Amino acid sequence: MTASLDRLRVGSAPDSWGVWFPDDPHQVPWSRFLDEVSGAGYEWIELGPYGYLPTDPARLTDEVTARG
């Protein structure tokens, strides 16, 4: 069986922006992370540490959808 490599998906995560803890005041705010990761062209992300991104599923969906 041959693996199909015709589509490569690359994502990012908050830790690539220096985010290690959900509430560190010195790290990038979550809204800026979403703006920048979207602006960099990523279509897939990991959520990072619980509590960094909005934990309400509806709000998180809205925020991510708004950025494509």
Side-chain angles (χ1 to χ4, degrees):
M1 175 182 238
T2 304
S4 175
L5 300 176
D6 62 341
R7 186 170 181 175
L8 180 66
R9 292 182 180 170
V10 178
S12 191
D15 65 340
S16 297
W17 266 251
V19 175
W20 297 100
F21 304 101
D23 56 0
D24 183 344
H26 300 289
Q27 67 195 3
V28 175
W30 66 265
S31 57
R32 180 175 164 190
F33 163 72
L34 290 178
D35 290 343
E36 290 181 358
V37 80
S38 174
Y42 289 100
E43 295 180 8
W44 301 91
I45 61 168
E46 292 181 11
L47 297 177
Y50 183 80
Y52 175 64
L53 294 174
T55 56
D56 174 60
R59 177 149 189 227
L60 181 57
T61 298
D62 290 346
E63 295 290 347
V64 171
T65 301
R67 293 165 174 87

